[in-house]
Structures are given as C-alpha cells and as structure tokens.
Amino acid sequence: GENVEQHPSTLSVQEGDSAVIKCTYSDSASNYFPWYKQELGKRPQLIIDIRSNVGEKKDQRIAVTLNKTAKHFSLHITETQPEDSAVYFCAAGLPGGSGYALNFGKGTSLLVTP
Amino acid sequence: ETGVTQSPTHLIKTRGQQVTLRCSSQSGHNTVSWYQQALGQGPQFIFQYYREEENGRGNFPPRFSGLQFPNYSSELNVNALELDDSALYLCASRPSGTNTGELFFGEGSRLTVL
C-alpha cells in the first residue's frame, strides 16, 4: 500500500521567515496531494492541494510543489506568522469509488516565534 | 463551519467492550470516511462509504465496521476493544457533484480504552 513519509517532525522558525515541509510517497498511482493544518484540539482543515497534472500551486503565502518522477512534494509557507503555528499533515490520495482515500504523513509541528 | 458533527466527543471503555461512534455529515455530502488518529500521529484511513455501501477500506481488522444511512449519517462500530484502539476517531465527508478531493472533518470522538 501507499506509504507517506514526512519531514521534519518539528520545525521552529522566527516570524517572517519561511518554512518548508517535505513529503515522499511510494505509490506512483497516487495523483492527489493535499495538505491539512490541525490546530491543537481542532479538526484538520485543508489549506492547499495539488493534483499530479500540475507541478506547482500557490495561494497567497502558501505554495506546494510536486515532483512526480521523484515522488515527493513540499509545502512552502512564506512570511510566517504566529497563527501559522500548528501541526501540518501531507497526504497522498488514490482515486477510487466516489473519491480519494487519503494516506497521511505523521505530521510536522510548526512553531512560529514572534 | 463545515457542518460535520460527531458524537460522543469523549468516551472511556474497557478492553473487550464494544463502541459505536456517530457522525452527521452536511446536507449534500454523500461520501463519508472514517480515520483513526493516534496521539502524535497522522490520521489513518479506516473505510469509506458512498450511498450506503463500503467502497474502500484501509488496513483495519473486521472488528471495525460501519454503516451509512439514507440521510448520509454514519456509524463506526468497534468490537472487542483493545488498548491500542485508544485514539481520536475522525469522520470526514465530501460533497457530491464536485471534482474536489477536499475532506470536511468533524471534531472527532476521543476514545480511551482502559
């Protein structure tokens, strides 16, 4: 089955700096790669996603890049703010039925210090 | 607000008991999936239901079972509870008629098995 590895497990940056989180996946059939943000005690929420027919996608301060050949994808957050502090999960999705079953990484705990 | 609600929010069971967790998805969301999130880990896919039928399953034993009802609410049942079943159980739904892969998560049910 699909195996998603995520690094680093913890990341501490100063406010205004950039943060990068990297993930690799094993199943070349995966074609959907979302990133979820989970604040302490809250539900995971989608922040950005990318499909395998696209190499990069940006949404304001957040960007995701995908390298299908190498089977890795990354989340980039620029101009970080304290409210970006949370756990971030990458996932890889295989299409099936009416949607995607997602395989999540173990998460990256991001701390942005003022 | 996503509109996905779960109950109960917290519960404690003893080893060998059975538990039923419930999820009410937003109107128009006809696909529901369940995930298990152990402490400090990413969510793990248990199974997915579409139009009342299971159409995807992760690496979980048969003692994890589910139901989806005509109103698209859903249940997760776990028999013969084990200590390792202690986790946050997340329900997630997806709207029908769209091309999005986005999952809308509930707040979760935190199960403790003693």
Side-chain angles (χ1 to χ4, degrees):
Chain A
E2 175 65 276
N3 182 42
V4 177
E5 299 279 347
Q6 182 171 348
H7 300 280
S9 56
T10 60
L11 180 58
S12 182
V13 299
Q14 290 224 309
E15 182 176 3
D17 288 350
S18 295
V20 180
I21 302 171
K22 298 183 178 182
C23 289
T24 61
Y25 63 100
S26 61
D27 192 334
S28 56
S30 292
N31 63 358
Y32 175 64
F33 306 93
W35 287 86
Y36 282 79
K37 175 183 180 182
Q38 188 174 29
E39 297 176 6
L40 192 62
K42 302 283 189 179
R43 71 190 79 195
Q45 291 193 298
L46 180 73
I47 55 171
I48 196 167
D49 57 10
I50 192 168
R51 294 179 189 271
S52 60
N53 58 346
V54 176
E56 182 176 0
K57 184 177 178 181
K58 291 184 74 171
D59 183 4
Q60 299 182 358
R61 298 185 296 108
I62 294 173
V64 57
T65 59
L66 171 65
N67 183 326
K68 278 190 64 178
T69 304
K71 297 201 197 73
H72 65 69
F73 55 114
S74 301
L75 177 71
H76 304 253
I77 306 174
T78 58
E79 300 171 28
T80 53
Q81 301 165 3
E83 50 265 39
D84 293 330
S85 297
V87 179
Y88 291 80
F89 293 98
C90 63
L94 284 164
S98 71
Y100 295 90
L102 296 180
N103 294 279
F104 285 85
K106 292 187 176 181
T108 296
S109 179
L110 173 64
L111 177 64
V112 180
T113 53
Chain B
E1 191 65 34
T2 66
V4 180
T5 58
Q6 292 186 242
S7 63
T9 55
H10 295 81
L11 70 166
I12 300 173
K13 292 285 187 177
T14 56
R15 199 169 46 182
Q17 284 189 312
Q18 178 267 343
V19 68
T20 297
L21 308 178
R22 295 180 174 82
C23 172
S24 178
S25 54
Q26 192 170 331
S27 175
H29 288 206
N30 63 0
T31 301
V32 66
S33 49
W34 286 88
Y35 288 80
Q36 180 196 66
Q37 187 176 22
L39 200 61
Q41 302 292 316
Q44 281 201 294
F45 175 68
I46 303 175
F47 45 56
Q48 176 175 279
Y49 278 80
Y50 172 63
R51 293 186 175 178
E52 303 173 55
E53 291 195 4
E54 183 183 299
N55 72 345
R57 189 175 185 94
N59 190 25
F60 280 82
R63 59 189 186 84
F64 286 77
S65 63
L67 283 172
Q68 186 184 29
F69 300 100
N71 65 355
Y72 303 136
S73 64
S74 174
E75 286 182 356
L76 165 65
N77 299 288
V78 187
N79 293 324
L81 284 167
E82 301 177 359
L83 297 179
D84 285 348
D85 295 334
S86 295
L88 179 69
Y89 288 85
L90 293 163
C91 167
S93 68
R94 178 182 287 115
S96 56
T98 70
N99 194 32
T100 177
E102 180 176 4
L103 292 177
F104 292 84
F105 283 93
E107 295 279 2
S109 294
R110 185 164 295 283
L111 171 65
T112 301
V113 182
L114 302 176

